[in-house]
Amino acid sequence: MPEELLFTRLLNHALGGPVTALLRALHVEPTYPDAPLPTPVSMELLVVGLLLVFFLILRSRLSIESPGGLQHMFEGLHGFVEGQSRDVIGPHSERFTPFLLTLGLFILIGNLFGVVPGLESPTASPVVPLGCAICAFVYYQFQGFRASGAGYLKHFLGPMWWLSPLMLPLEIISHLARLMSLTIRLYANMFAGDMVTLVFFSLIPIAVPVIFLGLHIGVALLQAYIFVLLTTVYLAGAVATEH
């Protein structure tokens, strides 16, 4: 059995039995029946739990007359994402803001877990960035069909009908490559950041690692921003016929 973080161990102790039973009911045999929840999954659940707590606290403290610091912070993040989507996509892009903001916050908090003792970045495991990339892929494709109906398929056929047999496979490959690009960019950067920070903390435990810790935080912020920006660009292409 692989080494577990404390939170993963507690989660498996509490939920391991029901999760194993559920997996077996779905004809999936877990590798470790006593610990069916791996660390990346437990970290994902912790991120979701923290976001729910943040949102519940924020909702309970919403105020027009005297907004608190937490409300100012989230309003600033909301305004930033909404402004960026308006610049990239155009008018009426505010309906995409909830998805983009939630996706960005999930990735950002997951990225920052790598600097917290006793936790790991779930985004440093390839399956988590892949899941985020699939969510972004499905979402912008859905919005494309929602905006144009069956006419959205024209995006895959090129500008001239006689080029369609050539353009269709190229467009399909191009869209699938976006999945790979989003996944590898996020995973590779966070995995490398975790490894560099860990190595320097083990070699030089005082002073010098703080610099790399700062760099790791910078990379975490940058990668969350890039992921949201690219998703916004893909959305702009999918709903372009709407404007």
Side-chain angles (χ1 to χ4, degrees):
M1 184 179 296
E3 185 178 352
E4 294 180 306
L5 298 178
L6 176 60
F7 181 77
T8 306
R9 192 179 307 118
L10 293 174
L11 204 62
N12 276 314
H13 179 73
L15 302 176
V19 170
T20 298
L22 176 61
L23 290 174
R24 285 174 173 167
L26 297 173
H27 304 289
V28 176
E29 182 62 32
T31 305
Y32 304 102
D34 294 333
L37 295 171
T39 294
V41 173
S42 70
M43 292 295 100
E44 279 187 290
L45 293 175
L46 183 56
V47 172
V48 172
L50 287 175
L51 284 175
L52 286 174
V53 170
F54 285 152
F55 291 147
L56 289 173
I57 293 175
L58 178 64
R59 182 179 177 84
S60 67
R61 296 182 178 180
L62 285 177
S63 173
I64 297 176
E65 292 80 13
S66 56
L70 187 64
Q71 183 175 337
H72 278 301
M73 182 182 72
F74 275 95
E75 284 180 351
L77 288 172
H78 183 278
F80 175 78
V81 174
E82 188 174 271
Q84 177 177 267
S85 62
R86 188 183 303 113
D87 292 339
V88 175
I89 301 173
H92 311 297
S93 61
E94 60 276 358
R95 67 181 183 274
F96 306 129
T97 302
F99 173 80
L100 294 171
L101 182 58
T102 303
L103 181 66
L105 286 174
F106 175 85
I107 294 173
L108 176 59
I109 294 177
N111 290 349
L112 292 175
F113 269 16
V115 301
V116 180
L119 300 180
E120 291 182 7
S121 296
T123 47
S125 174
V127 68
V128 177
L130 177 60
C132 293
I134 290 174
C135 287
F137 179 84
V138 171
Y139 183 78
Y140 85 75
Q141 298 289 2
F142 169 77
Q143 292 298 337
F145 279 107
R146 183 181 181 186
S148 306
Y152 177 64
L153 295 174
K154 293 179 181 178
H155 283 255
F156 298 87
L157 301 178
M160 290 171 271
W161 66 267
W162 51 272
L163 282 175
S164 298
L166 176 63
M167 294 300 299
L168 180 60
L170 290 177
E171 285 294 327
I172 291 174
I173 293 171
S174 173
H175 280 258
L176 292 177
R178 295 174 180 180
L179 278 173
M180 183 182 299
S181 173
L182 289 171
T183 301
I184 294 176
R185 179 182 291 106
L186 179 57
Y187 161 65
N189 280 281
M190 297 318 302
F191 178 78
D194 280 355
M195 289 299 101
V196 169
T197 303
L198 181 63
V199 167
F200 275 91
F201 263 100
S202 62
L203 294 177
I204 314 172
I206 301 175
V208 174
V210 174
I211 299 173
F212 291 92
L213 202 61
L215 289 174
H216 186 91
I217 293 174
V219 170
L221 292 166
L222 181 61
Q223 291 306 312
Y225 169 73
I226 290 175
F227 201 104
V228 172
L229 176 60
L230 289 176
T231 303
T232 306
V233 171
Y234 299 153
L235 270 169
V239 302
T241 56
E242 195 176 14
H243 311 304

